[in-house]
Short mmCIF file of all heavy atoms in Angstrom, two decimals:
data_model
loop_
_atom_site.label_atom_id
_atom_site.label_comp_id
_atom_site.label_asym_id
_atom_site.label_seq_id
_atom_site.Cartn_x
_atom_site.Cartn_y
_atom_site.Cartn_z
N ILE A 192 36.66 106.19 158.59
CA ILE A 192 37.27 105.11 157.81
C ILE A 192 37.17 105.35 156.30
O ILE A 192 38.06 104.95 155.55
CB ILE A 192 36.61 103.76 158.17
CG1 ILE A 192 36.90 103.41 159.63
CG2 ILE A 192 37.12 102.64 157.27
CD1 ILE A 192 36.33 102.10 160.08
N ALA A 193 36.11 105.98 155.84
CA ALA A 193 35.83 106.06 154.40
C ALA A 193 37.03 106.56 153.59
O ALA A 193 37.49 105.89 152.66
CB ALA A 193 34.61 106.94 154.15
N GLU A 194 37.57 107.69 153.94
CA GLU A 194 38.69 108.25 153.18
C GLU A 194 40.00 107.51 153.43
O GLU A 194 40.70 107.16 152.47
CB GLU A 194 38.84 109.75 153.49
CG GLU A 194 39.97 110.43 152.74
CD GLU A 194 39.82 110.38 151.23
OE1 GLU A 194 38.68 110.25 150.76
OE2 GLU A 194 40.84 110.44 150.52
N PRO A 195 40.39 107.24 154.70
CA PRO A 195 41.63 106.49 154.92
C PRO A 195 41.64 105.11 154.27
O PRO A 195 42.71 104.60 153.91
CB PRO A 195 41.69 106.36 156.45
CG PRO A 195 40.87 107.48 156.97
CD PRO A 195 39.77 107.65 155.97
N PHE A 196 40.48 104.49 154.12
CA PHE A 196 40.42 103.18 153.49
C PHE A 196 40.44 103.29 151.96
O PHE A 196 41.08 102.47 151.28
CB PHE A 196 39.15 102.44 153.93
CG PHE A 196 39.05 101.04 153.41
CD1 PHE A 196 39.83 100.02 153.94
CD2 PHE A 196 38.19 100.72 152.36
CE1 PHE A 196 39.76 98.72 153.46
CE2 PHE A 196 38.11 99.42 151.88
CZ PHE A 196 38.89 98.42 152.44
N SER A 197 39.75 104.26 151.42
CA SER A 197 39.63 104.38 149.96
C SER A 197 40.93 104.79 149.29
O SER A 197 41.28 104.27 148.22
CB SER A 197 38.54 105.41 149.61
OG SER A 197 37.30 105.04 150.15
N ARG A 198 41.65 105.71 149.91
CA ARG A 198 42.83 106.28 149.26
C ARG A 198 43.88 105.23 148.88
O ARG A 198 44.31 105.18 147.71
CB ARG A 198 43.44 107.36 150.17
CG ARG A 198 44.41 108.29 149.46
CD ARG A 198 45.03 109.28 150.42
NE ARG A 198 44.06 109.91 151.30
CZ ARG A 198 44.02 109.72 152.63
NH1 ARG A 198 44.89 108.93 153.22
NH2 ARG A 198 43.13 110.34 153.36
N PRO A 199 44.33 104.38 149.80
CA PRO A 199 45.35 103.38 149.40
C PRO A 199 44.84 102.35 148.40
O PRO A 199 45.63 101.81 147.61
CB PRO A 199 45.73 102.72 150.73
CG PRO A 199 44.63 103.04 151.68
CD PRO A 199 44.07 104.33 151.25
N LEU A 200 43.52 102.08 148.38
CA LEU A 200 42.99 101.14 147.39
C LEU A 200 43.04 101.74 145.99
O LEU A 200 43.25 101.02 145.01
CB LEU A 200 41.56 100.73 147.75
CG LEU A 200 41.47 99.35 148.42
CD1 LEU A 200 41.87 99.44 149.88
CD2 LEU A 200 40.11 98.74 148.26
N GLN A 201 42.84 103.04 145.89
CA GLN A 201 42.93 103.69 144.60
C GLN A 201 44.36 103.63 144.06
O GLN A 201 44.57 103.42 142.85
CB GLN A 201 42.45 105.14 144.71
CG GLN A 201 40.94 105.24 144.96
CD GLN A 201 40.49 106.62 145.38
OE1 GLN A 201 41.28 107.42 145.88
NE2 GLN A 201 39.21 106.91 145.19
N VAL A 202 45.33 103.77 144.96
CA VAL A 202 46.74 103.64 144.56
C VAL A 202 47.03 102.22 144.11
O VAL A 202 47.66 101.98 143.07
CB VAL A 202 47.67 104.04 145.72
CG1 VAL A 202 49.13 103.76 145.37
CG2 VAL A 202 47.48 105.51 146.09
N ALA A 203 46.54 101.23 144.90
CA ALA A 203 46.76 99.82 144.57
C ALA A 203 46.13 99.46 143.23
O ALA A 203 46.69 98.68 142.45
CB ALA A 203 46.21 98.93 145.68
N ALA A 204 44.96 100.02 142.96
CA ALA A 204 44.27 99.74 141.69
C ALA A 204 45.10 100.22 140.51
O ALA A 204 45.22 99.52 139.49
CB ALA A 204 42.89 100.40 141.69
N ARG A 205 45.71 101.39 140.64
CA ARG A 205 46.54 101.91 139.55
C ARG A 205 47.76 101.01 139.32
O ARG A 205 48.14 100.75 138.18
CB ARG A 205 46.99 103.34 139.86
CG ARG A 205 45.86 104.36 139.74
CD ARG A 205 46.40 105.77 139.71
NE ARG A 205 47.00 106.16 140.98
CZ ARG A 205 46.33 106.74 141.97
NH1 ARG A 205 45.02 106.98 141.84
NH2 ARG A 205 46.94 107.09 143.09
N VAL A 206 48.35 100.53 140.41
CA VAL A 206 49.50 99.64 140.30
C VAL A 206 49.12 98.35 139.57
O VAL A 206 49.90 97.81 138.77
CB VAL A 206 50.08 99.32 141.70
CG1 VAL A 206 51.15 98.24 141.61
CG2 VAL A 206 50.65 100.58 142.33
N LEU A 207 47.92 97.85 139.84
CA LEU A 207 47.45 96.61 139.23
C LEU A 207 46.86 96.83 137.84
O LEU A 207 46.46 95.87 137.18
CB LEU A 207 46.39 95.95 140.13
CG LEU A 207 46.88 95.43 141.49
CD1 LEU A 207 45.70 95.04 142.36
CD2 LEU A 207 47.83 94.25 141.30
N GLY A 208 46.79 98.09 137.42
CA GLY A 208 46.22 98.39 136.11
C GLY A 208 44.71 98.27 136.07
O GLY A 208 44.13 97.96 135.02
N LEU A 209 44.06 98.53 137.20
CA LEU A 209 42.62 98.39 137.30
C LEU A 209 41.94 99.75 137.44
O LEU A 209 42.49 100.68 138.05
CB LEU A 209 42.24 97.54 138.53
CG LEU A 209 42.69 96.09 138.54
CD1 LEU A 209 42.48 95.49 139.93
CD2 LEU A 209 41.92 95.29 137.49
N GLN A 210 40.75 99.86 136.91
CA GLN A 210 39.91 101.02 137.16
C GLN A 210 39.06 100.72 138.40
O GLN A 210 38.45 99.66 138.48
CB GLN A 210 39.01 101.32 135.97
CG GLN A 210 38.16 102.57 136.14
CD GLN A 210 37.30 102.86 134.92
OE1 GLN A 210 37.27 102.07 133.97
NE2 GLN A 210 36.61 103.99 134.93
N LEU A 211 39.04 101.65 139.34
CA LEU A 211 38.31 101.42 140.59
C LEU A 211 37.10 102.34 140.66
O LEU A 211 37.24 103.57 140.65
CB LEU A 211 39.23 101.66 141.80
CG LEU A 211 38.67 101.23 143.17
CD1 LEU A 211 38.51 99.72 143.22
CD2 LEU A 211 39.60 101.70 144.29
N HIS A 212 35.91 101.74 140.75
CA HIS A 212 34.67 102.52 140.86
C HIS A 212 34.27 102.57 142.34
O HIS A 212 33.99 101.53 142.94
CB HIS A 212 33.55 101.86 140.06
CG HIS A 212 33.87 101.67 138.60
ND1 HIS A 212 33.88 102.72 137.69
CD2 HIS A 212 34.20 100.55 137.89
CE1 HIS A 212 34.19 102.25 136.49
NE2 HIS A 212 34.39 100.95 136.58
N VAL A 213 34.21 103.77 142.89
CA VAL A 213 33.83 103.94 144.29
C VAL A 213 32.32 104.17 144.36
O VAL A 213 31.79 105.12 143.78
CB VAL A 213 34.58 105.11 144.95
CG1 VAL A 213 34.15 105.25 146.41
CG2 VAL A 213 36.08 104.90 144.86
N LEU A 214 31.64 103.27 145.08
CA LEU A 214 30.18 103.35 145.21
C LEU A 214 29.82 103.58 146.68
O LEU A 214 30.43 102.97 147.57
CB LEU A 214 29.53 102.06 144.72
CG LEU A 214 29.88 101.65 143.28
CD1 LEU A 214 29.31 100.28 142.97
CD2 LEU A 214 29.35 102.68 142.30
N HIS A 215 28.86 104.44 146.93
CA HIS A 215 28.47 104.78 148.29
C HIS A 215 27.16 104.10 148.68
O HIS A 215 26.24 103.99 147.86
CB HIS A 215 28.31 106.30 148.43
CG HIS A 215 29.59 107.05 148.33
ND1 HIS A 215 29.66 108.41 148.15
CD2 HIS A 215 30.87 106.61 148.41
CE1 HIS A 215 30.93 108.79 148.11
NE2 HIS A 215 31.67 107.71 148.26
N ALA A 216 27.10 103.66 149.94
CA ALA A 216 25.87 103.06 150.46
C ALA A 216 25.84 103.22 151.97
O ALA A 216 26.84 102.93 152.64
CB ALA A 216 25.77 101.59 150.08
N SER A 217 24.72 103.67 152.49
CA SER A 217 24.57 103.79 153.94
C SER A 217 23.22 103.25 154.40
O SER A 217 22.76 103.56 155.50
CB SER A 217 24.71 105.26 154.37
OG SER A 217 23.79 106.08 153.68
N SER A 218 22.60 102.42 153.57
CA SER A 218 21.32 101.80 153.93
C SER A 218 21.14 100.53 153.10
O SER A 218 21.86 100.30 152.12
CB SER A 218 20.14 102.75 153.66
OG SER A 218 19.98 102.95 152.26
N GLU A 219 20.19 99.72 153.50
CA GLU A 219 19.90 98.48 152.79
C GLU A 219 19.55 98.74 151.33
O GLU A 219 20.02 98.05 150.42
CB GLU A 219 18.76 97.74 153.49
CG GLU A 219 18.40 96.41 152.87
CD GLU A 219 17.31 95.68 153.65
OE1 GLU A 219 17.00 96.10 154.78
OE2 GLU A 219 16.77 94.69 153.11
N ARG A 220 18.73 99.75 151.10
CA ARG A 220 18.30 100.08 149.73
C ARG A 220 19.49 100.54 148.88
O ARG A 220 19.62 100.14 147.72
CB ARG A 220 17.23 101.17 149.76
CG ARG A 220 16.73 101.59 148.39
CD ARG A 220 15.64 102.63 148.49
NE ARG A 220 14.47 102.12 149.18
CZ ARG A 220 13.38 102.84 149.44
NH1 ARG A 220 13.32 104.11 149.05
NH2 ARG A 220 12.37 102.31 150.07
N GLU A 221 20.39 101.33 149.48
CA GLU A 221 21.54 101.82 148.73
C GLU A 221 22.53 100.71 148.43
O GLU A 221 23.24 100.76 147.41
CB GLU A 221 22.21 102.96 149.50
CG GLU A 221 21.37 104.23 149.53
CD GLU A 221 22.00 105.35 150.35
OE1 GLU A 221 23.04 105.10 150.99
OE2 GLU A 221 21.45 106.46 150.34
N ILE A 222 22.60 99.70 149.30
CA ILE A 222 23.46 98.55 149.00
C ILE A 222 22.93 97.82 147.77
O ILE A 222 23.69 97.44 146.88
CB ILE A 222 23.51 97.60 150.23
CG1 ILE A 222 24.28 98.27 151.38
CG2 ILE A 222 24.18 96.28 149.85
CD1 ILE A 222 24.23 97.48 152.68
N GLU A 223 21.62 97.62 147.71
CA GLU A 223 21.00 96.98 146.54
C GLU A 223 21.32 97.77 145.29
O GLU A 223 21.69 97.20 144.25
CB GLU A 223 19.48 96.90 146.74
CG GLU A 223 19.02 96.03 147.88
CD GLU A 223 18.70 94.61 147.45
OE1 GLU A 223 18.83 94.32 146.24
OE2 GLU A 223 18.32 93.81 148.31
N ALA A 224 21.20 99.09 145.36
CA ALA A 224 21.44 99.94 144.20
C ALA A 224 22.90 99.88 143.77
O ALA A 224 23.21 99.93 142.56
CB ALA A 224 21.05 101.37 144.52
N ALA A 225 23.82 99.77 144.73
CA ALA A 225 25.25 99.72 144.41
C ALA A 225 25.57 98.47 143.58
O ALA A 225 26.35 98.55 142.62
CB ALA A 225 26.07 99.74 145.69
N PHE A 226 24.98 97.34 143.92
CA PHE A 226 25.23 96.12 143.16
C PHE A 226 24.65 96.23 141.75
O PHE A 226 25.26 95.75 140.78
CB PHE A 226 24.67 94.90 143.88
CG PHE A 226 25.63 94.28 144.84
CD1 PHE A 226 25.80 94.79 146.11
CD2 PHE A 226 26.39 93.17 144.47
CE1 PHE A 226 26.70 94.22 147.01
CE2 PHE A 226 27.29 92.60 145.35
CZ PHE A 226 27.45 93.12 146.62
N ALA A 227 23.51 96.85 141.63
CA ALA A 227 22.93 97.05 140.30
C ALA A 227 23.85 97.92 139.45
O ALA A 227 24.03 97.67 138.24
CB ALA A 227 21.55 97.69 140.42
N THR A 228 24.45 98.91 140.06
CA THR A 228 25.38 99.79 139.35
C THR A 228 26.63 99.02 138.92
O THR A 228 27.15 99.21 137.82
CB THR A 228 25.78 100.98 140.24
OG1 THR A 228 24.62 101.73 140.58
CG2 THR A 228 26.78 101.89 139.52
N LEU A 229 27.12 98.13 139.80
CA LEU A 229 28.29 97.33 139.47
C LEU A 229 28.06 96.48 138.23
O LEU A 229 28.95 96.32 137.39
CB LEU A 229 28.66 96.41 140.65
CG LEU A 229 29.38 97.05 141.82
CD1 LEU A 229 29.46 96.05 142.98
CD2 LEU A 229 30.78 97.50 141.42
N VAL A 230 26.86 95.93 138.13
CA VAL A 230 26.53 95.11 136.96
C VAL A 230 26.55 95.97 135.70
O VAL A 230 27.09 95.55 134.65
CB VAL A 230 25.15 94.45 137.14
CG1 VAL A 230 24.72 93.74 135.86
CG2 VAL A 230 25.19 93.46 138.29
N LYS A 231 26.00 97.18 135.76
CA LYS A 231 25.99 98.08 134.61
C LYS A 231 27.41 98.47 134.21
O LYS A 231 27.72 98.62 133.02
CB LYS A 231 25.17 99.33 134.92
CG LYS A 231 23.68 99.07 135.08
CD LYS A 231 22.94 100.35 135.42
CE LYS A 231 21.44 100.09 135.61
NZ LYS A 231 20.72 101.34 136.00
N LEU A 232 28.28 98.62 135.22
CA LEU A 232 29.67 99.00 134.95
C LEU A 232 30.52 97.81 134.50
O LEU A 232 31.67 97.99 134.10
CB LEU A 232 30.29 99.61 136.22
CG LEU A 232 29.72 100.96 136.69
CD1 LEU A 232 30.27 101.31 138.06
CD2 LEU A 232 30.07 102.05 135.68
N ARG A 233 29.94 96.61 134.61
CA ARG A 233 30.66 95.37 134.27
C ARG A 233 31.95 95.23 135.09
O ARG A 233 32.99 94.81 134.58
CB ARG A 233 30.97 95.32 132.77
CG ARG A 233 29.71 95.30 131.92
CD ARG A 233 30.03 95.05 130.48
NE ARG A 233 28.80 94.97 129.67
CZ ARG A 233 28.77 94.70 128.38
NH1 ARG A 233 29.90 94.46 127.72
NH2 ARG A 233 27.62 94.65 127.74
N ALA A 234 31.85 95.59 136.36
CA ALA A 234 33.00 95.45 137.25
C ALA A 234 33.29 93.98 137.50
O ALA A 234 32.37 93.16 137.63
CB ALA A 234 32.73 96.17 138.57
N GLY A 235 34.58 93.64 137.58
CA GLY A 235 34.97 92.25 137.76
C GLY A 235 34.87 91.75 139.17
O GLY A 235 34.94 90.53 139.42
N GLY A 236 34.70 92.65 140.13
CA GLY A 236 34.61 92.25 141.53
C GLY A 236 34.38 93.45 142.42
O GLY A 236 34.31 94.60 141.95
N LEU A 237 34.26 93.19 143.72
CA LEU A 237 33.94 94.25 144.68
C LEU A 237 34.72 94.06 145.98
O LEU A 237 34.74 92.96 146.54
CB LEU A 237 32.44 94.24 144.99
CG LEU A 237 31.95 95.22 146.06
CD1 LEU A 237 32.08 96.66 145.57
CD2 LEU A 237 30.51 94.91 146.45
N VAL A 238 35.34 95.13 146.44
CA VAL A 238 35.94 95.18 147.77
C VAL A 238 35.01 95.97 148.67
O VAL A 238 34.57 97.06 148.29
CB VAL A 238 37.34 95.84 147.74
CG1 VAL A 238 37.92 95.92 149.16
CG2 VAL A 238 38.29 95.07 146.84
N ILE A 239 34.70 95.42 149.84
CA ILE A 239 33.75 96.07 150.75
C ILE A 239 34.51 96.67 151.92
O ILE A 239 35.32 96.01 152.56
CB ILE A 239 32.71 95.04 151.25
CG1 ILE A 239 31.98 94.42 150.06
CG2 ILE A 239 31.71 95.71 152.21
CD1 ILE A 239 31.14 93.21 150.43
N MET A 240 34.25 97.93 152.19
CA MET A 240 34.92 98.65 153.26
C MET A 240 34.60 98.03 154.63
O MET A 240 33.48 97.61 154.88
CB MET A 240 34.44 100.11 153.24
CG MET A 240 34.98 100.99 154.35
SD MET A 240 34.30 102.67 154.20
CE MET A 240 33.36 102.78 155.71
N PRO A 241 35.59 97.96 155.54
CA PRO A 241 35.30 97.49 156.90
C PRO A 241 34.43 98.51 157.63
O PRO A 241 34.89 99.60 157.98
CB PRO A 241 36.69 97.37 157.54
CG PRO A 241 37.57 98.26 156.74
CD PRO A 241 37.01 98.28 155.36
N ASP A 242 33.19 98.16 157.84
CA ASP A 242 32.22 99.10 158.40
C ASP A 242 31.17 98.30 159.17
O ASP A 242 30.79 97.20 158.77
CB ASP A 242 31.57 99.91 157.28
CG ASP A 242 30.53 100.88 157.79
OD1 ASP A 242 30.91 101.94 158.32
OD2 ASP A 242 29.33 100.57 157.67
N GLN A 243 30.71 98.85 160.28
CA GLN A 243 29.75 98.15 161.12
C GLN A 243 28.42 97.90 160.41
O GLN A 243 27.77 96.87 160.62
CB GLN A 243 29.52 98.95 162.41
CG GLN A 243 30.77 99.18 163.24
CD GLN A 243 31.32 97.89 163.80
OE1 GLN A 243 30.58 97.10 164.38
NE2 GLN A 243 32.61 97.65 163.63
N LEU A 244 28.00 98.84 159.56
CA LEU A 244 26.77 98.63 158.79
C LEU A 244 26.91 97.43 157.87
O LEU A 244 26.01 96.59 157.78
CB LEU A 244 26.45 99.87 157.96
CG LEU A 244 25.32 99.71 156.93
CD1 LEU A 244 23.98 99.47 157.61
CD2 LEU A 244 25.24 100.91 156.00
#
Side-chain angles (χ1 to χ4, degrees):
I192 296 181
E194 180 60 25
F196 184 74
S197 301
R198 197 183 314 113
L200 259 79
Q201 290 167 338
V202 174
R205 288 194 293 270
V206 172
L207 294 170
L209 296 168
Q210 183 179 5
L211 190 66
H212 303 286
V213 180
L214 304 174
H215 291 166
S217 56
S218 68
E219 182 177 348
R220 179 178 298 178
E221 290 177 354
I222 291 173
E223 296 266 359
F226 271 82
T228 300
L229 282 171
V230 173
K231 292 179 182 178
L232 293 171
R233 297 188 177 183
L237 175 68
V238 178
I239 302 169
M240 177 181 116
D242 179 78
Q243 300 294 311
L244 170 66

